[in-house]
DNA sequence: AATAATTTTTAGTTTTGTCTAAATTTTAAT
DNA sequence: ATTAAAATTTAGACAAAACTAAAAATTATT
């Protein structure tokens, strides 16, 4: 499988887990910053290889084969992110681009030994689940902070936006995976939240709250 | 720089260190298992980018830029090999193909942090030197076992052939980097050597002796 | 020095993945 | 039910990196 084919599969996989319908050509094109015509060409090729179900004008979904292949790429991406943070001392906002490259290294032995070396982690540095060697994923209950009621006590367990800007904002506010977050009050006007984060009070916008995953304690 | 350009540079670099002349189109083609015409095309492109000195029909050599670029690829290749052996428990005959892929990952931060993580090794699992971040190489005195006189005591410090077959032969004979090797006698007829390796007697052909690097004690 | 053999380059194709522009299909709006 | 708008596909072109076959240059041999 080529570098490019792998990136298409991964994109379709991510779009499928967020939305839950057939994926449109344009959605793929937008996410990959390419043109719809290029997407169409690739979808034909992937369909030929039985990696996607594709009917003209009808959108696309992953086949069993395609889904497993996509999960293996995601597995590699997230394991490498763990490696970079845990072993090489990268910060969580620096790992994505390097992992985008490392995810395409082809060696089952490598990825499984890496998995062992890292202690078979189930989540990456952003709280996203890591598929095991068979593609199984441990699903953890989590909700967006924006969807939680007042006076609830929670733990931060993930981020929805993984951009450098957002992650660095969280660093600045000392919010990390594992931080305790209590919702003190919500401002009606703009849905901003008054929080207690690790015993420090903090006000965050609804945009921030809509990108933080938490678990109720 | 593309994957392919990097492979050409690396090949020219390796050919240059072995031979010490201008490198021929055919030599590159043979090493890369490609056609001479493809090599010519690429040499033009590399010359355009000031990575090689190329004049039609006259062979090719690396420019300063090209040499540094090649060394950085070799650096990555060898550091990854150390990682695979030291941290992931690969054996020395399994690492080359994976390192061929990993050497193309583009991130200065990654390779320098990896270097630190590994304790700034100066040699890879096959005894080959690892260039530092500036391209400097610590050259270690070593000679082929086939060029050493009788009754000399030596330490194995490297291999010339790094094929799986040769490395597995060495494993079978319990010869590794650091093994003590004493030459007991040489057979005139076929230049085979009677050795004492780690206090075990062993006979090896001249082909073996011509692929083992040793240091006199 | 002339010719033969070898090496290298050029010219013209092919494949992969991309693009633009035009045509087609689907969806939305009147 | 038409028409307009949007989404998608097709057609044709291009760049990268490979190939084959033919031409040109170099090297070796007589
Ligand atoms: Mn990532
Ligand atoms: Mn991640
Ligand atoms: Mn190697
Ligand atoms: Mn090596």
């Amino acid at each position: 499988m080529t570098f490019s084919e792998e990136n298409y599969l991964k994109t379709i996989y991510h779009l499928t887990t967020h939305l839950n319908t057939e994926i449109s050509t344009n959605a793929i094109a937008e996410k990959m910053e390419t043109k719809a015509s290029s997407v169409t060409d690739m979808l034909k090729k992937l369909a030929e290889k039985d990696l996607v179900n594709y009917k003209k004008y009808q959108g696309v979904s992953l086949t069993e084969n395609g889904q497993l292949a996509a999960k293996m790429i995601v597995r590699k991406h997230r394991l490498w992110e763990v490696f970079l943070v845990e072993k090489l001392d990268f910060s969580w906002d620096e790992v994505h681009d390097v992992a985008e490259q490392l995810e395409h290294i082809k060696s089952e032995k490598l990825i499984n030994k890496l998995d062992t070396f890292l202690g078979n982690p189930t989540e990456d540095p952003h709280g996203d689940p890591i598929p095991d060697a068979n593609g199984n994923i441990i699903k953890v209950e989590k909700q967006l902070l924006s969807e939680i009621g007042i006076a609830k006590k929670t733990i931060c367990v993930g981020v929805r936006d993984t951009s450098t800007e957002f992650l660095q904002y969280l660093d600045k506010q000392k919010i990390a995976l594992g931080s305790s977050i209590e919702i003190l009050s919500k401002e009606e006007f703009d849905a901003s939240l008054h929080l207690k984060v690790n015993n420090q009070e903090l006000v965050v916008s609804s945009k921030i709250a809509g990108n933080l995953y938490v678990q109720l304690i």
Side-chain angles (χ1 to χ4, degrees), chain A residues 1-216:
Chain A
M1 200 155 24
T2 68
F3 199 96
S4 190
E5 287 171 346
E6 291 189 341
N7 283 335
Y8 275 94
L9 280 187
K10 193 181 51 157
T11 299
I12 297 167
Y13 175 80
H14 284 313
L15 288 170
T16 303
T17 60
H18 280 288
L19 318 167
N20 212 11
T21 59
E22 300 282 292
I23 303 303
S24 75
T25 302
N26 265 2
I28 298 168
E30 191 178 347
K31 191 119 181 194
M32 299 190 68
E33 298 182 44
T34 183
K35 294 297 152 77
S37 55
S38 306
V39 175
T40 300
D41 286 345
M42 182 57 83
L43 293 183
K44 287 182 191 166
K45 198 195 304 184
L46 294 175
E48 195 59 45
K49 296 189 175 186
D50 190 34
L51 294 165
V52 300
N53 304 115
Y54 171 62
K55 280 201 220 99
K56 273 193 196 180
Y57 295 101
Q58 301 300 129
V60 73
S61 61
L62 293 173
T63 63
E64 281 297 313
N65 285 343
Q67 181 148 42
L68 185 60
K71 280 177 174 172
M72 288 303 111
I73 301 163
V74 169
R75 167 171 163 79
K76 289 192 273 183
H77 183 102
R78 292 180 180 164
L79 281 173
W80 280 116
E81 286 191 344
V82 172
F83 170 72
L84 295 173
V85 167
E86 298 285 314
K87 302 296 183 179
L88 296 196
D89 205 34
F90 275 68
S91 60
W92 67 345
D93 62 298
E94 298 173 316
V95 296
H96 185 75
D97 290 346
V98 182
E100 286 287 306
Q101 299 180 62
L102 287 164
E103 73 190 4
H104 299 291
I105 301 293
K106 280 156 195 71
S107 167
E108 281 222 3
K109 180 174 276 181
L110 171 60
I111 201 63
N112 292 330
K113 279 180 177 274
L114 181 64
D115 193 14
T116 302
F117 179 59
L118 298 173
N120 308 111
T122 58
E123 288 175 11
D124 84 355
H126 313 102
D128 292 316
I130 300 176
D132 72 16
N134 300 312
N136 297 122
I137 294 174
I138 297 174
K139 210 163 197 168
V140 168
E141 278 301 310
K142 59 188 177 188
Q143 298 166 265
L144 289 172
L145 182 61
S146 55
E147 292 164 351
I148 303 274
I150 288 173
K152 300 289 187 182
K153 295 191 178 188
T154 69
I155 298 280
C156 177
V157 295
V159 292
R160 202 164 87 109
D161 177 354
T162 58
S163 69
T164 305
E165 297 73 39
F166 183 54
L167 297 175
Q168 287 185 353
Y169 165 84
L170 295 178
D171 285 343
K172 199 169 62 187
Q173 305 296 353
K174 304 253 195 292
I175 300 174
L177 299 196
S179 294
S180 76
I181 301 180
E182 182 181 348
I183 303 181
L184 300 177
S185 66
K186 176 183 271 185
E187 180 62 51
E188 283 299 325
F189 180 64
D190 63 354
S192 61
L193 298 179
H194 191 178
L195 305 177
K196 187 187 275 184
V197 177
N198 294 326
N199 292 316
Q200 290 266 33
E201 295 196 18
L202 178 66
V203 175
V204 301
S205 72
S206 66
K207 183 174 178 186
I208 301 296
N211 280 299
L212 269 182
Y213 285 113
V214 296
Q215 260 172 17
L216 291 172

